[in-house]
Amino acid sequence: MPNIKSAAKRVEITRKRTLRNARIKSAVKTAIRKYEEALASASQELAQTTLRKALVALDKAVTKGVLHKNAASRKKSRLTKRFNKIAG
């Protein structure tokens, strides 16, 4: 445990940010997992709605600073490509 007040504050801020980042990452992973389940069910309409939710979750993670914009773009591209295989 830090002895200096400012160091103690930094520890607390880091803990809060870590929890927030973990919560956002978990939401992204959950959205992607639900999309993959929808793809497996072969329901195009369900896959489309869950794809939209996954893309929104990725974009939110970028705006919150949890994911890099290129990483999110890559994930979005891959998810969309998989949807287009069953749609097209």
Coordinates of all heavy atoms in Angstrom, one line a residue:
M1 N 0.8 -1.2 0.0 CA 0.0 0.0 0.0 C 0.9 1.2 0.0 O 1.8 1.3 0.8 CB -0.9 -0.1 1.2 CG -2.1 0.9 1.2 SD -3.2 0.5 -0.1 CE -4.0 2.0 -0.4
P2 N 0.6 2.2 -0.8 CA 1.4 3.4 -0.9 C 1.3 4.3 0.4 O 0.3 4.3 1.0 CB 0.8 4.2 -2.1 CG -0.3 3.4 -2.7 CD -0.5 2.2 -1.8
N3 N 2.4 4.9 0.7 CA 2.4 5.8 1.8 C 2.1 7.3 1.4 O 1.6 8.0 2.3 CB 3.9 5.9 2.4 CG 4.2 4.5 3.0 OD1 3.3 3.8 3.6 ND2 5.5 4.1 2.9
I4 N 2.3 7.6 0.2 CA 2.0 9.0 -0.3 C 0.6 9.1 -0.8 O 0.1 8.2 -1.4 CB 3.1 9.3 -1.4 CG1 4.5 9.3 -0.8 CG2 2.8 10.7 -2.0 CD1 5.5 9.3 -1.9
K5 N 0.0 10.2 -0.4 CA -1.4 10.4 -0.7 C -1.7 10.4 -2.2 O -2.7 9.7 -2.6 CB -1.9 11.8 -0.1 CG -3.4 12.0 -0.2 CD -3.7 13.3 0.5 CE -5.2 13.5 0.4 NZ -5.6 14.8 1.1
S6 N -0.9 11.0 -3.0 CA -1.1 11.0 -4.5 C -0.9 9.6 -5.1 O -1.7 9.3 -6.0 CB -0.1 12.0 -5.1 OG 1.2 11.6 -4.9
A7 N 0.0 8.8 -4.5 CA 0.2 7.5 -5.0 C -1.0 6.6 -4.7 O -1.5 5.8 -5.5 CB 1.4 6.9 -4.4
A8 N -1.6 6.8 -3.5 CA -2.8 6.1 -3.1 C -3.9 6.4 -4.0 O -4.7 5.6 -4.4 CB -3.1 6.4 -1.6
K9 N -4.0 7.7 -4.3 CA -5.1 8.1 -5.3 C -4.9 7.5 -6.6 O -5.9 7.1 -7.2 CB -5.1 9.7 -5.4 CG -6.2 10.2 -6.2 CD -6.2 11.7 -6.3 CE -7.4 12.2 -7.2 NZ -7.4 13.7 -7.2
R10 N -3.7 7.4 -7.1 CA -3.5 6.8 -8.4 C -3.8 5.3 -8.4 O -4.4 4.8 -9.4 CB -2.0 6.9 -8.8 CG -1.5 8.3 -9.0 CD -2.3 9.2 -10.0 NE -2.5 8.5 -11.3 CZ -3.3 8.9 -12.2 NH1 -4.0 10.0 -12.0 NH2 -3.4 8.3 -13.3
V11 N -3.6 4.6 -7.3 CA -3.9 3.2 -7.2 C -5.5 3.1 -7.3 O -6.0 2.2 -8.0 CB -3.4 2.6 -5.8 CG1 -4.0 1.3 -5.5 CG2 -1.9 2.5 -5.9
E12 N -6.2 4.0 -6.6 CA -7.6 3.9 -6.6 C -8.2 4.2 -8.0 O -9.1 3.5 -8.5 CB -8.2 4.9 -5.6 CG -9.7 4.9 -5.5 CD -10.3 3.5 -5.0 OE1 -9.6 2.8 -4.4 OE2 -11.5 3.3 -5.4
I13 N -7.6 5.2 -8.7 CA -8.1 5.6 -10.0 C -7.8 4.4 -11.0 O -8.6 4.1 -11.8 CB -7.4 6.9 -10.5 CG1 -7.9 8.1 -9.7 CG2 -7.5 7.1 -12.0 CD1 -7.2 9.3 -9.9
T14 N -6.6 3.8 -10.9 CA -6.3 2.7 -11.7 C -7.2 1.5 -11.5 O -7.7 0.9 -12.5 CB -4.8 2.2 -11.4 OG1 -3.9 3.3 -11.7 CG2 -4.4 1.1 -12.3
R15 N -7.6 1.3 -10.2 CA -8.5 0.2 -9.9 C -9.9 0.4 -10.6 O -10.5 -0.4 -11.2 CB -8.7 0.0 -8.4 CG -9.5 -1.2 -8.0 CD -9.8 -1.2 -6.5 NE -10.6 -0.1 -6.1 CZ -11.9 -0.1 -6.2 NH1 -12.6 -1.1 -6.8 NH2 -12.6 1.0 -5.8
K16 N -10.4 1.7 -10.5 CA -11.7 2.0 -11.0 C -11.6 1.9 -12.6 O -12.6 1.4 -13.2 CB -12.1 3.5 -10.7 CG -12.5 3.6 -9.2 CD -12.9 5.0 -9.0 CE -13.4 5.2 -7.5 NZ -13.8 6.6 -7.3
R17 N -10.6 2.4 -13.2 CA -10.5 2.3 -14.6 C -10.4 0.9 -15.1 O -10.9 0.5 -16.2 CB -9.3 3.1 -15.1 CG -9.5 4.6 -15.0 CD -8.3 5.4 -15.6 NE -8.6 6.8 -15.5 CZ -7.7 7.7 -15.7 NH1 -6.5 7.4 -16.1 NH2 -8.0 9.0 -15.6
T18 N -9.6 0.1 -14.4 CA -9.5 -1.3 -14.7 C -10.8 -2.0 -14.7 O -11.2 -2.8 -15.6 CB -8.5 -2.1 -13.8 OG1 -7.2 -1.4 -13.9 CG2 -8.3 -3.5 -14.2
L19 N -11.6 -1.8 -13.7 CA -13.0 -2.4 -13.6 C -13.9 -1.9 -14.7 O -14.6 -2.7 -15.3 CB -13.6 -2.0 -12.2 CG -13.0 -2.7 -11.0 CD1 -13.6 -2.1 -9.7 CD2 -13.2 -4.2 -11.1
R20 N -13.8 -0.6 -15.0 CA -14.6 0.0 -16.1 C -14.2 -0.7 -17.4 O -15.1 -1.1 -18.2 CB -14.4 1.5 -16.2 CG -15.1 2.2 -17.3 CD -14.8 3.7 -17.2 NE -15.2 4.4 -18.4 CZ -14.3 4.7 -19.3 NH1 -13.1 4.3 -19.2 NH2 -14.7 5.3 -20.4
N21 N -12.9 -0.8 -17.7 CA -12.4 -1.4 -19.0 C -12.9 -2.8 -19.1 O -13.3 -3.3 -20.1 CB -10.9 -1.3 -19.1 CG -10.5 0.2 -19.3 OD1 -11.3 1.1 -19.6 ND2 -9.2 0.4 -19.1
A22 N -12.8 -3.6 -17.9 CA -13.2 -5.0 -17.9 C -14.7 -5.1 -18.2 O -15.1 -6.0 -19.0 CB -12.8 -5.6 -16.6
R23 N -15.5 -4.2 -17.7 CA -16.9 -4.2 -17.9 C -17.2 -4.0 -19.4 O -18.0 -4.7 -20.0 CB -17.6 -3.2 -17.0 CG -19.1 -3.3 -17.0 CD -19.7 -2.4 -15.9 NE -19.2 -1.0 -15.9 CZ -18.5 -0.5 -14.9 NH1 -18.1 -1.2 -13.8 NH2 -18.1 0.8 -15.0
I24 N -16.5 -3.0 -20.0 CA -16.8 -2.7 -21.4 C -16.3 -3.8 -22.3 O -17.0 -4.3 -23.3 CB -16.1 -1.4 -21.8 CG1 -16.8 -0.2 -21.0 CG2 -16.1 -1.1 -23.3 CD1 -16.0 1.1 -21.1
K25 N -15.1 -4.4 -22.0 CA -14.6 -5.5 -22.8 C -15.5 -6.7 -22.7 O -15.8 -7.4 -23.7 CB -13.2 -5.9 -22.3 CG -12.1 -5.1 -22.8 CD -10.7 -5.6 -22.3 CE -9.6 -4.7 -22.5 NZ -8.4 -5.2 -22.0
S26 N -16.1 -7.0 -21.5 CA -17.0 -8.1 -21.3 C -18.2 -7.9 -22.2 O -18.7 -8.8 -22.8 CB -17.3 -8.2 -19.9 OG -18.3 -9.2 -19.7
A27 N -18.7 -6.7 -22.2 CA -19.9 -6.4 -23.0 C -19.7 -6.6 -24.5 O -20.5 -7.1 -25.2 CB -20.4 -4.9 -22.8
V28 N -18.5 -6.2 -25.0 CA -18.1 -6.4 -26.4 C -18.1 -7.9 -26.7 O -18.6 -8.4 -27.7 CB -16.8 -5.8 -26.7 CG1 -16.3 -6.2 -28.0 CG2 -16.9 -4.3 -26.6
K29 N -17.4 -8.7 -25.8 CA -17.3 -10.1 -26.0 C -18.6 -10.8 -26.0 O -18.9 -11.7 -26.8 CB -16.4 -10.7 -24.9 CG -14.9 -10.4 -25.1 CD -14.1 -11.0 -24.0 CE -12.7 -10.4 -24.0 NZ -11.9 -10.9 -22.8
T30 N -19.5 -10.4 -25.1 CA -20.9 -11.0 -25.0 C -21.6 -10.7 -26.3 O -22.3 -11.6 -26.8 CB -21.6 -10.4 -23.8 OG1 -20.9 -10.7 -22.6 CG2 -23.0 -11.0 -23.7
A31 N -21.5 -9.5 -26.8 CA -22.3 -9.1 -28.0 C -21.7 -9.9 -29.2 O -22.5 -10.4 -30.0 CB -22.1 -7.6 -28.3
I32 N -20.4 -10.1 -29.3 CA -19.9 -10.9 -30.3 C -20.3 -12.4 -30.2 O -20.6 -13.0 -31.2 CB -18.3 -10.8 -30.4 CG1 -18.0 -9.4 -30.8 CG2 -17.7 -11.8 -31.3 CD1 -16.5 -9.0 -30.7
R33 N -20.3 -12.9 -29.0 CA -20.7 -14.3 -28.8 C -22.2 -14.5 -29.1 O -22.5 -15.5 -29.8 CB -20.5 -14.7 -27.3 CG -20.6 -16.2 -27.1 CD -20.5 -16.6 -25.6 NE -21.8 -16.2 -24.9 CZ -21.8 -15.3 -23.9 NH1 -20.7 -14.7 -23.5 NH2 -22.9 -14.9 -23.4
K34 N -23.0 -13.6 -28.8 CA -24.4 -13.7 -29.2 C -24.6 -13.6 -30.7 O -25.4 -14.4 -31.3 CB -25.3 -12.6 -28.5 CG -25.5 -12.8 -27.0 CD -26.3 -11.8 -26.4 CE -26.5 -12.0 -24.9 NZ -27.4 -11.1 -24.3
Y35 N -23.8 -12.8 -31.4 CA -23.8 -12.8 -32.8 C -23.4 -14.1 -33.4 O -24.0 -14.6 -34.3 CB -22.9 -11.7 -33.3 CG -22.6 -11.7 -34.8 CD1 -23.6 -11.5 -35.7 CD2 -21.3 -12.0 -35.3 CE1 -23.4 -11.6 -37.1 CE2 -21.1 -12.1 -36.6 CZ -22.1 -11.9 -37.5 OH -21.8 -11.9 -38.9
E36 N -22.3 -14.7 -32.9 CA -21.9 -16.0 -33.4 C -22.9 -17.1 -33.2 O -23.1 -18.0 -34.0 CB -20.5 -16.4 -32.7 CG -19.4 -15.5 -33.2 CD -18.1 -15.7 -32.4 OE1 -18.1 -16.3 -31.4 OE2 -17.1 -15.1 -32.9
E37 N -23.6 -17.0 -32.0 CA -24.7 -18.0 -31.8 C -25.8 -17.8 -32.8 O -26.4 -18.8 -33.3 CB -25.2 -17.8 -30.4 CG -24.3 -18.3 -29.3 CD -24.7 -18.0 -27.9 OE1 -25.7 -17.3 -27.7 OE2 -23.9 -18.3 -27.0
A38 N -26.1 -16.5 -33.1 CA -27.2 -16.3 -34.1 C -26.8 -16.8 -35.5 O -27.6 -17.3 -36.2 CB -27.5 -14.8 -34.1
L39 N -25.5 -16.6 -35.8 CA -25.0 -17.2 -37.1 C -25.1 -18.7 -37.1 O -25.5 -19.2 -38.2 CB -23.5 -16.8 -37.3 CG -23.1 -15.5 -37.9 CD1 -21.6 -15.4 -38.0 CD2 -23.8 -15.3 -39.2
A40 N -24.8 -19.3 -36.0 CA -24.9 -20.8 -36.0 C -26.4 -21.3 -36.1 O -26.6 -22.3 -36.7 CB -24.3 -21.3 -34.7
S41 N -27.3 -20.4 -35.7 CA -28.7 -20.8 -35.8 C -29.3 -20.6 -37.2 O -30.4 -21.1 -37.5 CB -29.6 -20.0 -34.8 OG -29.7 -18.7 -35.3
A42 N -28.5 -20.0 -38.1 CA -28.8 -19.8 -39.5 C -30.0 -18.9 -39.7 O -30.7 -18.9 -40.7 CB -29.0 -21.1 -40.2
S43 N -30.4 -18.1 -38.7 CA -31.5 -17.2 -38.8 C -30.9 -15.8 -39.2 O -30.2 -15.2 -38.5 CB -32.2 -17.0 -37.4 OG -33.1 -15.9 -37.5
Q44 N -31.1 -15.5 -40.5 CA -30.5 -14.3 -41.1 C -30.9 -13.0 -40.4 O -30.2 -12.1 -40.1 CB -30.8 -14.2 -42.6 CG -30.0 -13.1 -43.3 CD -30.2 -13.1 -44.8 OE1 -30.6 -14.1 -45.3 NE2 -29.9 -12.0 -45.4
E45 N -32.2 -13.0 -40.0 CA -32.8 -11.8 -39.4 C -32.2 -11.6 -38.0 O -31.8 -10.5 -37.6 CB -34.3 -11.9 -39.3 CG -35.0 -10.5 -39.1 CD -36.5 -10.7 -39.2 OE1 -37.0 -11.1 -40.3 OE2 -37.2 -10.4 -38.2
L46 N -32.1 -12.6 -37.2 CA -31.5 -12.6 -35.9 C -30.0 -12.2 -36.0 O -29.5 -11.4 -35.2 CB -31.7 -13.9 -35.2 CG -31.1 -14.0 -33.8 CD1 -31.8 -13.0 -32.8 CD2 -31.3 -15.4 -33.2
A47 N -29.3 -12.8 -37.0 CA -27.9 -12.5 -37.1 C -27.7 -11.1 -37.5 O -26.7 -10.4 -37.0 CB -27.3 -13.4 -38.2
Q48 N -28.6 -10.5 -38.3 CA -28.4 -9.1 -38.6 C -28.6 -8.2 -37.4 O -27.8 -7.2 -37.3 CB -29.4 -8.7 -39.7 CG -29.2 -7.4 -40.3 CD -30.1 -7.1 -41.5 OE1 -31.0 -7.8 -41.8 NE2 -29.8 -6.1 -42.3
T49 N -29.6 -8.4 -36.6 CA -29.8 -7.6 -35.4 C -28.7 -7.7 -34.4 O -28.2 -6.7 -33.9 CB -31.2 -7.9 -34.8 OG1 -31.2 -9.2 -34.4 CG2 -32.3 -7.5 -35.7
T50 N -28.2 -8.9 -34.2 CA -27.1 -9.1 -33.3 C -25.8 -8.6 -33.8 O -25.0 -8.1 -33.1 CB -26.9 -10.6 -32.9 OG1 -26.8 -11.4 -34.0 CG2 -28.1 -11.1 -32.0
L51 N -25.6 -8.6 -35.1 CA -24.5 -8.0 -35.8 C -24.5 -6.5 -35.5 O -23.4 -5.9 -35.1 CB -24.4 -8.2 -37.3 CG -23.3 -7.5 -38.0 CD1 -22.0 -7.9 -37.6 CD2 -23.5 -7.7 -39.5
R52 N -25.6 -5.8 -35.7 CA -25.7 -4.4 -35.4 C -25.3 -4.1 -34.0 O -24.6 -3.1 -33.7 CB -27.1 -3.9 -35.7 CG -27.3 -3.5 -37.1 CD -28.5 -2.5 -37.2 NE -29.0 -2.7 -38.6 CZ -30.2 -3.2 -38.9 NH1 -30.9 -3.7 -37.9 NH2 -30.6 -3.3 -40.1
K53 N -25.8 -4.9 -33.0 CA -25.5 -4.7 -31.6 C -24.0 -4.9 -31.3 O -23.4 -4.1 -30.6 CB -26.3 -5.6 -30.7 CG -27.8 -5.2 -30.7 CD -28.6 -6.2 -29.8 CE -30.0 -5.8 -29.8 NZ -30.9 -6.7 -29.0
A54 N -23.4 -5.8 -32.0 CA -22.0 -6.1 -31.8 C -21.2 -4.9 -32.4 O -20.2 -4.5 -31.7 CB -21.6 -7.4 -32.5
L55 N -21.6 -4.4 -33.5 CA -20.8 -3.3 -34.1 C -20.9 -2.0 -33.2 O -20.0 -1.3 -33.0 CB -21.4 -3.0 -35.5 CG -21.2 -4.1 -36.6 CD1 -21.7 -3.6 -37.9 CD2 -19.8 -4.6 -36.7
V56 N -22.1 -1.8 -32.6 CA -22.3 -0.7 -31.7 C -21.4 -0.8 -30.5 O -20.8 0.1 -30.0 CB -23.8 -0.5 -31.4 CG1 -24.0 0.4 -30.2 CG2 -24.6 0.0 -32.6
A57 N -21.4 -2.0 -30.0 CA -20.6 -2.3 -28.8 C -19.1 -2.0 -29.1 O -18.4 -1.5 -28.2 CB -20.8 -3.7 -28.3
L58 N -18.6 -2.5 -30.2 CA -17.2 -2.2 -30.6 C -17.0 -0.7 -30.8 O -15.9 -0.2 -30.3 CB -16.9 -2.9 -31.9 CG -16.7 -4.4 -31.8 CD1 -16.8 -5.1 -33.2 CD2 -15.4 -4.7 -31.1
D59 N -17.9 0.0 -31.4 CA -17.7 1.5 -31.5 C -17.7 2.2 -30.2 O -16.9 3.1 -30.0 CB -18.8 2.0 -32.4 CG -18.6 1.7 -33.9 OD1 -17.5 1.5 -34.3 OD2 -19.6 1.7 -34.6
K60 N -18.5 1.7 -29.3 CA -18.6 2.3 -27.9 C -17.2 2.1 -27.2 O -16.7 3.0 -26.5 CB -19.7 1.8 -27.1 CG -21.0 2.5 -27.4 CD -22.1 2.0 -26.4 CE -23.4 2.7 -26.7 NZ -24.5 2.3 -25.8
A61 N -16.7 0.9 -27.4 CA -15.4 0.5 -26.7 C -14.3 1.5 -27.2 O -13.4 1.8 -26.5 CB -15.1 -0.9 -27.0
V62 N -14.4 1.8 -28.5 CA -13.4 2.7 -29.1 C -13.5 4.1 -28.5 O -12.6 4.7 -28.1 CB -13.5 2.8 -30.6 CG1 -12.6 3.9 -31.2 CG2 -13.1 1.4 -31.2
T63 N -14.8 4.6 -28.4 CA -15.0 6.0 -27.9 C -14.6 6.0 -26.4 O -14.2 7.1 -26.0 CB -16.4 6.4 -28.1 OG1 -17.3 5.6 -27.4 CG2 -16.8 6.5 -29.5
K64 N -14.7 4.9 -25.7 CA -14.3 4.9 -24.3 C -12.8 4.7 -24.1 O -12.3 4.8 -23.0 CB -15.0 3.8 -23.5 CG -16.5 3.9 -23.6 CD -17.1 5.0 -22.9 CE -18.6 5.0 -22.9 NZ -19.2 6.2 -22.5
G65 N -12.1 4.4 -25.2 CA -10.7 4.3 -25.1 C -10.2 2.9 -24.7 O -9.1 2.7 -24.3
V66 N -11.1 1.9 -24.7 CA -10.8 0.5 -24.3 C -10.2 -0.2 -25.5 O -9.2 -1.0 -25.2 CB -12.1 -0.2 -23.8 CG1 -11.8 -1.6 -23.5 CG2 -12.7 0.6 -22.6
L67 N -10.7 0.0 -26.7 CA -10.1 -0.7 -27.9 C -9.5 0.4 -28.8 O -10.0 1.5 -28.9 CB -11.2 -1.4 -28.6 CG -11.6 -2.8 -28.1 CD1 -12.7 -3.3 -29.0 CD2 -10.5 -3.8 -28.1
H68 N -8.5 0.0 -29.5 CA -7.9 0.8 -30.5 C -8.8 0.8 -31.7 O -9.5 -0.2 -32.0 CB -6.5 0.3 -30.9 CG -5.8 1.3 -31.8 ND1 -5.9 1.4 -33.1 CD2 -4.9 2.3 -31.5 CE1 -5.1 2.3 -33.6 NE2 -4.5 2.9 -32.6
K69 N -8.9 2.0 -32.4 CA -9.9 2.1 -33.5 C -9.6 1.1 -34.7 O -10.5 0.5 -35.3 CB -10.0 3.5 -34.1 CG -8.7 4.0 -34.7 CD -8.9 5.4 -35.3 CE -7.6 5.8 -36.0 NZ -7.7 7.0 -36.7
N70 N -8.3 0.8 -34.9 CA -8.0 -0.2 -36.0 C -8.3 -1.6 -35.6 O -8.8 -2.4 -36.4 CB -6.5 -0.1 -36.3 CG -6.2 1.2 -37.0 OD1 -7.0 2.0 -37.3 ND2 -4.9 1.4 -37.3
A71 N -8.2 -1.9 -34.3 CA -8.6 -3.3 -33.8 C -10.1 -3.5 -33.9 O -10.5 -4.5 -34.4 CB -8.1 -3.4 -32.3
A72 N -10.8 -2.4 -33.5 CA -12.3 -2.5 -33.6 C -12.7 -2.6 -35.1 O -13.6 -3.4 -35.5 CB -12.9 -1.3 -33.0
S73 N -12.0 -1.9 -36.0 CA -12.4 -1.9 -37.4 C -12.1 -3.3 -38.0 O -12.9 -3.8 -38.8 CB -11.5 -0.8 -38.1 OG -11.8 -0.9 -39.5
R74 N -11.0 -3.9 -37.6 CA -10.7 -5.2 -38.0 C -11.7 -6.2 -37.6 O -12.2 -7.1 -38.3 CB -9.3 -5.6 -37.5 CG -8.8 -7.0 -37.9 CD -7.4 -7.3 -37.4 NE -7.5 -7.4 -35.9 CZ -6.8 -6.7 -35.1 NH1 -6.0 -5.7 -35.5 NH2 -6.9 -6.8 -33.8
K75 N -12.1 -6.1 -36.3 CA -13.1 -7.1 -35.8 C -14.5 -6.9 -36.5 O -15.2 -7.8 -36.8 CB -13.3 -6.8 -34.3 CG -12.2 -7.4 -33.4 CD -12.4 -7.0 -32.0 CE -11.2 -7.3 -31.1 NZ -11.1 -8.7 -30.7
K76 N -14.8 -5.6 -36.7 CA -16.1 -5.3 -37.4 C -16.1 -5.9 -38.8 O -17.1 -6.4 -39.3 CB -16.3 -3.8 -37.4 CG -16.7 -3.2 -36.1 CD -16.6 -1.7 -36.0 CE -17.3 -1.0 -37.1 NZ -17.3 0.5 -36.9
S77 N -14.9 -5.7 -39.5 CA -14.8 -6.2 -40.8 C -15.0 -7.7 -40.9 O -15.7 -8.3 -41.7 CB -13.4 -5.8 -41.4 OG -13.2 -6.4 -42.7
R78 N -14.4 -8.4 -39.9 CA -14.4 -9.9 -39.9 C -15.9 -10.4 -39.6 O -16.3 -11.3 -40.2 CB -13.4 -10.4 -38.9 CG -12.0 -10.3 -39.4 CD -11.0 -10.7 -38.3 NE -9.7 -10.6 -38.8 CZ -8.6 -10.7 -38.1 NH1 -8.7 -11.1 -36.8 NH2 -7.4 -10.6 -38.6
L79 N -16.5 -9.7 -38.7 CA -17.9 -10.0 -38.3 C -18.8 -9.8 -39.5 O -19.7 -10.7 -39.8 CB -18.4 -9.2 -37.1 CG -17.7 -9.5 -35.8 CD1 -18.2 -8.5 -34.7 CD2 -17.9 -10.9 -35.3
T80 N -18.7 -8.7 -40.2 CA -19.5 -8.4 -41.4 C -19.3 -9.4 -42.5 O -20.2 -9.8 -43.2 CB -19.2 -6.9 -41.8 OG1 -19.4 -6.1 -40.7 CG2 -20.2 -6.5 -42.9
K81 N -18.0 -9.7 -42.7 CA -17.6 -10.7 -43.8 C -18.3 -12.0 -43.5 O -18.9 -12.6 -44.5 CB -16.1 -10.9 -43.8 CG -15.6 -11.6 -45.0 CD -14.1 -11.9 -45.0 CE -13.3 -10.6 -44.9 NZ -11.8 -11.0 -44.9
R82 N -18.4 -12.4 -42.3 CA -19.0 -13.7 -41.9 C -20.5 -13.6 -42.2 O -21.2 -14.6 -42.6 CB -18.7 -14.1 -40.5 CG -17.3 -14.6 -40.3 CD -17.0 -14.9 -38.9 NE -17.8 -15.9 -38.4 CZ -17.8 -16.2 -37.1 NH1 -17.1 -15.6 -36.2 NH2 -18.6 -17.2 -36.6
F83 N -21.1 -12.4 -41.9 CA -22.6 -12.3 -42.1 C -22.8 -12.3 -43.6 O -23.8 -12.9 -44.1 CB -23.1 -11.0 -41.5 CG -24.5 -10.7 -41.8 CD1 -25.5 -11.4 -41.2 CD2 -24.8 -9.8 -42.8 CE1 -26.8 -11.1 -41.5 CE2 -26.2 -9.5 -43.1 CZ -27.2 -10.2 -42.4
N84 N -22.0 -11.7 -44.4 CA -22.2 -11.6 -45.8 C -22.1 -13.0 -46.5 O -22.8 -13.2 -47.5 CB -21.2 -10.7 -46.5 CG -21.5 -9.2 -46.2 OD1 -22.7 -8.9 -45.8 ND2 -20.5 -8.4 -46.3
K85 N -21.4 -13.9 -45.9 CA -21.3 -15.3 -46.4 C -22.7 -16.0 -46.4 O -23.1 -16.6 -47.3 CB -20.3 -16.1 -45.7 CG -18.9 -15.9 -46.1 CD -18.0 -16.9 -45.4 CE -16.5 -16.6 -45.8 NZ -15.6 -17.5 -45.1
I86 N -23.4 -15.8 -45.2 CA -24.7 -16.4 -45.1 C -25.8 -15.6 -45.8 O -26.8 -16.2 -46.3 CB -25.1 -16.7 -43.7 CG1 -25.4 -15.4 -42.9 CG2 -24.1 -17.6 -43.0 CD1 -26.3 -15.6 -41.7
A87 N -25.6 -14.3 -45.9 CA -26.6 -13.4 -46.5 C -26.6 -13.5 -48.1 O -27.6 -13.4 -48.7 CB -26.5 -12.0 -46.1
G88 N -25.4 -13.6 -48.6 CA -25.2 -13.5 -50.0 C -25.3 -14.8 -50.7 O -25.6 -15.0 -51.8

